[in-house]
Amino acid sequence: MTGAERIRRFDWLSEYLARLEDEHVIAQHGDALALPPAHRLELDPEDWAPAAKVAAGMGLRHAGLWADCLDDAASTEEGPCIRVQACLEYGGDYLVLQTEVPMSRPLLASQATSYPGVARLERHAHDLTGLELTGQPDGRRWTRHQAWPEDRFPLRSDFPRAGETPGRTPADADYAFTRVQGTGVYEIPVGPVHAGIIEPGHFRFHAMGEDVLQLEERLGYVHKGIEKLAVGRDPAALARLAGRLSGDSSVAHAWAACQAMERATDCIVPPRALALRGLMAERERIANHLGDIGAICNDVGFAFAQVQCARLRELWQRRSLALFGHRLMMDAVVPGGVACDLTDKAIEELQRDHAQMKVAIEPVFDVVEDHPSLDDRLMSTGVLSEADARQLGCTGYVGKASGQGFDLRRDTPYAPYDAVAMDAPLMTEGDVAARVTVRMAEVRNSLRWMDRLLKVLPGGALAVDLPPAEEGAMGLGAIDGWRGEILCFVRFGADGRIARYFPRDPSWFTWPALERLILGNIVPDFPVCNKSVNGSYSGEDL
Amino acid sequence: MFRILKQSLKTGVITETPPDLADAELERIGVELRRTIEARLGRSLAIRQVDAGSCNACELEIHALNNAYYDVERFGVRFVASPRHADALLVTGPVSRHMEMALRRTWRATPAPKFVIAAGSCACTGGEFGVSYASCGAVENVIPVDVKIPGCPPSPLDLLKGLLGALRV
Ligand code: SF4
């Protein structure tokens, strides 16, 4: 993209700034260099909530928020503080709002009143850093259960990585779930250990008869302290950790982390490496969509699709092992490039594979697309309205099935999607069937795209050394994973080591969507609704 | 209906067609597993899988055990919904401290004699996450473990081999 086009793309920014001024909000400082490709605006803390309100009024999407404790020896002159950043998106352009509050009085008004989708991100920021969000609609803790006390914050530098409370961690028994009361209303607690082979989390249903009146999710069970573990790592070790944030999105998260580090260090990644990353990301998407399409059908008792899709997925994973060294392509994305290559023979093999897959999916998708008993169960089940999807900021297949067309690969194309364009499906029905249809369309699109990419696969190096990072250098990664937009913030500390890593999985916004789309459905339809969204527990619990 | 029959017939029974070496090995391990299960447990091995903090990739590979290629049920291995129905717990992930109590309770709910199989590098050693304010590390730091299946994640074949090992302990 040329410079002129880039400037034109940000044409809404002046409008936003003008509207901010109407609200007496003055951006202290704006720049396009600190976190490219995003613009950054520094705000006073008291302008934090009004800036969100203006943004919501203009229809900007809130793409997430995180807090960064600047409290080590080398912190700012004004003393230790918490820096908070919020990422907004419009028309494919990113804007990062930034403010700082003193550690001694870390008060900041909540943006969740304008953007309900960020409520849990704010609660997470509070539990990990001690940022106090005033006016937060939901003041309860989120990520913290009982592993550390209320007044201690793991991401502060005085908190030891090993923790301060040895011994057994008690169960989290006193979380205040919202109650629904009335004659005939009953509660169903589910989890954290679920009946299937899935991740742990707790669901609290309130139902009347079979109808769900309310669903409340309680996650955080697989909180592994990933943000704390990242501190002090070198870039290669961070990529390894990022690849294990949510194993089903290993390529996408590792890529997002590497992209953030590469942007922070102005690293020029070789085109061949970028193309191979794209190829692996699409392979990851296809594997997950195949697995999920089968599992969704299985949840309504249609085993045929499950058996067929699982078969195709297995073949696909075996090919990943043979050509990329790992069934899930873990550790194939490394800072500065990739750790694997494709020989000419492998490329031919892949092309053959893609051709076979294109043929193999059709009879299966044909049945899934049009089968009376499937239609009966999947259509009009679990409807997420366009308004809800927009308000929560859903991306990926959840957004695309509910009228939110945003796709990073098309709307903010990064290499290799800038050279080989990617198409994205869009539907408005918002039901389970629409999410399945979007996923099938994405499988077909990705297969076509990979073939086009292979035809123009650049030669050259596979990786370069990551240039040394300056202390304080920041980078923002944005990658379209199979679940949707992944954001990743990285700040370097001394000696080129990581001081802050925050990965924002798309699940942060689709988990709340599940709470909405299940309303009015029957309890037995919960598994299929849940699977059609398939939020990552590990990716959100961190 | 005809479309479904056509596709199913066209696909055929892929389970018994060993297309490469790996599948031949799978068959051998499977048959051996079946014999051991019969000798040890009578007929079947009921497994309750518990994710105690995994990144979810271990779960993906455990799922794969049920696909038509591995079809683990034919060897008498079944995944059950309740620990009370289980002979063995298959635990993945480092044990997050938020899952510590849930794992202990699941273990207590499993009737003796019971096996615990730690699947994946995290479950075996703590893996990439180790011990921290949020993680207890290896499963054996929380409940007794009989067998460890390393790998990040272990492949379905590794898992099958590990199950076989579990029955021999
Ligand atoms: S062993 Fe690897 S795949 Fe399994 S939970 Fe740990 S990081 Fe994930």
Side-chain angles (χ1 to χ4, degrees), chain A residues 501-512:
Chain A
Y501 166 58
F502 179 73
R504 204 276 293 127
D505 193 83
S507 308
W508 282 99
F509 305 120
T510 56
W511 276 119

Side-chain angles (χ1 to χ4, degrees), chain A residues 244 330, chain B residues 54-55 57-58 120-122 129 151-153:
Chain A
R244 286 159 180 78
M330 272 183 177
Chain B
S54 115
C55 76
C58 277
S121 306
C122 290
F129 306 100
C152 184

Side-chain angles (χ1 to χ4, degrees), chain A residues 143 161 165 169 194 196-197 199 220-221 223-224 233 244 247-248 308 314 318 326-327 363 366 370, chain B residues 3 7 11 14 23 48 51 53-56 61 63 67 69-70 96-98 100 104 128 133 152:
Chain A
T143 305
R161 179 179 312 171
T165 44
T169 309
H194 293 155
I197 304 172
E199 300 181 77
Y221 285 93
H223 176 66
K224 294 182 274 291
R233 286 196 173 219
R244 286 159 180 78
D248 51 22
Q308 294 290 336
E314 175 67 22
R318 288 183 185 188
H326 191 283
R327 282 169 57 93
D366 178 52
D370 167 34
Chain B
R3 288 176 300 165
Q7 174 68 12
T11 311
I14 53 174
D23 291 67
R48 171 67 260 207
D51 174 344
S54 115
C55 76
N56 80 27
E61 294 298 56
H63 259 293
N67 74 33
Y69 283 93
Y70 303 103
S96 73
R97 294 190 66 183
H98 292 169
E100 185 181 350
R104 283 184 204 283
E128 196 63 36
Y133 79 93
C152 184

Side-chain angles (χ1 to χ4, degrees), chain A residues 21-32:
Chain A
E21 239 171 277
D22 292 345
E23 297 290 317
H24 308 291
V25 173
I26 309 291
Q28 293 296 329
H29 175 74
D31 67 67

